[in-house]
Amino acid sequence: MYDLTKQNTVIVVFGASGDLAKKKTYPALHGLYKNGFLPEDTQIIGYARTKLEIDEFREKIKPNLKSIPADKDITEKFLKNLHYFPGKYDEDEPFKKLNEYINKLEEKSKHEKKNRLFYMALPPSVFTTVATHIKNQLYTKKGFSRLIVEKPFGKDIESSRKLVGDLAKLFTEEEIFRIDHYLGKEMVKNIMTLRFANIFLGAIWCKEYIDNVQITFKEPFGAEGRGGYFDEYGIIRDVMQNHLLQVFSVLTMEKPKSLDSERIRDAKVELLKCVNPIKKEDLLIGQYTNSTDGEKKGYREDETVPDDSTTPTYAAVTLFIKNSRWEGVPFILKCGKALDQLKTEVRIQFRDVANPIFENLSRNELVIRVQPGEAVYMKMINKKPGLSMDTMISELDLTYHRRFSDTKIPEAYEALILDALAGDHSNFVRDDELDVAWKIFTPILHYIENEKLEPIMYPYGSRGPKEVNSFVEKYGFKRDVQEYNWEDPSNKSKTSDK
Ligand code: BG6
């Protein structure tokens, strides 16, 4: 285990003035610092093209830090420890200067081991250039040199292989940490525990009991302000091929030999190798138009998006796994922007009871609510309390805010940065894993683009294209026969859980 207090660590954030660094990286570093996970002498240097004075930079960072009045002093200390270094990405000179700067900081440390963690919050166009400069100018042997890389890792299998190959010439796979922040989410991590630490769940985790599975990601906002990036990538590359596929892998992989990071990643790769590339008939794509009240603009009306763009902002695909555990079970992955709510969940629908003696039975469902409001609940049929033998849907409910009300759930980025410092790769994407992931998605992505497939339009703020209902039913998903309301922990209201 990495003992942070006995080693000196410098963290360099490339792309420090960008959106990702501002919204995720720095708040996570602050969260770790505030909770005592980063020793006080950890130095954090931001590097970006934008010319900024250090105070201007601190002002830019400050608003996104989660800081309550009681944290004021520690937040001030954190901000004081930040450094900012403006420089170009394609010139050697600023990297040389940065190295001198880091050397000076390191000289002040009493520890012999001097680690450097390089965080690349950068557009893919400069990944390799920056990684090359890091290797030539900043790489250290006085401690570890590690590289955290943010997605997108390519656009298809070819570009991903090129990127992986280019980075492999500079850094070993052990030194590279490809971030998929969904792997850092508490509930995604919990899937392994639920499956492999509970005999009753382990026993029914197979085609004999599970009829279909849905993994759903919904966001109530569109691609506003990010149209340039989004239009080139689309929702499948932005969310599905990475975040949802990771959830899918941990949900379906065989039990790893141990909790060792390589064994976990082996299990995921083995599983993904059993998934066939997606077929045309297992795909549905959509794009949002303006909201019905006219208040929210449609995707094509965004200034940064071409008027005739066919880029999907909604997608549903169904994956099938060719192995003895899962043969024939449809896994429906759905994700969309500009929808009616914010929600990521896994919904496992079990088979009908054989030879039922009760009438009108709904199916059991196990729902893993990833966000917001972490929860796990099993919808089960119960006798309606009273004199009749009528049935009703109730639930076994583990809602985190009730059961673990005093526990702070770490942000995904906090957990992952700490893992990278500790050298734990379990929740990062390995090169071969990336390759199989792209193998599954590349043909359908090329088909969508080459054919200029027209997405189905849906209004901003709606549940997505109406056709999604028949899409999921096509794979056997059955709606509840009786009405069911579940208390949503994120807004404390009792609503239908669909
Ligand atoms: C990012 C995508 O990777 O994940 C965004 O690029 C998306 O489009 C985001 O909004 C969702 O992350 P979270 O943690 O807010 O669910």
Side-chain angles (χ1 to χ4, degrees), residues 241-270:
Q241 180 269 353
N242 33 66
H243 304 332
L244 297 196
L245 195 70
Q246 284 296 345
V247 176
F248 165 80
S249 318
V250 278
L251 200 70
T252 54
M253 68 184 182
E254 292 302 310
K255 183 156 79 181
K257 299 235 166 8
S258 69
L259 283 180
D260 176 80
S261 63
E262 294 320 307
R263 300 296 76 78
I264 295 173
R265 301 198 297 178
D266 288 347
K268 287 201 278 178
V269 172
E270 276 316 303

Side-chain angles (χ1 to χ4, degrees), residues 78-109:
F78 172 79
L79 287 165
K80 255 183 121 182
N81 276 352
L82 298 184
H83 308 252
Y84 185 73
F85 203 95
K88 293 202 169 147
Y89 292 133
D90 53 358
E91 288 175 5
D92 224 25
E93 205 44 40
F95 286 83
K96 272 190 193 155
K97 288 207 175 115
L98 176 59
N99 190 43
E100 287 161 19
Y101 190 83
I102 300 177
N103 283 338
K104 282 203 187 112
L105 290 177
E106 286 176 343
E107 275 163 25
K108 290 188 203 150
S109 160

Side-chain angles (χ1 to χ4, degrees), residues 24 151 181-182 185 217 219 226 238 243 337 371:
K24 302 279 189 190
K151 74 169 195 14
H181 77 284
Y182 266 60
K185 292 197 187 263
F217 166 102
E219 272 182 347
R226 300 170 74 210
D238 188 44
H243 304 332
K337 295 216 167 246
Q371 63 183 30

Side-chain angles (χ1 to χ4, degrees), residues 230 234-236 283-289 299-300 309-316 335-337 339 448 453-458 464-468:
F230 192 87
I235 194 81
I236 297 181
L283 166 80
L284 180 152
I285 55 169
Q287 190 188 77
Y288 64 87
T289 59
Y299 179 69
R300 290 180 187 173
S309 168
T310 50
T311 298
T313 60
Y314 185 98
C335 51
K337 295 216 167 246
L339 296 179
I448 295 171
L453 200 67
E454 272 297 327
I456 305 170
M457 297 296 159
Y458 63 94
K466 285 198 208 70
E467 288 75 354
V468 177

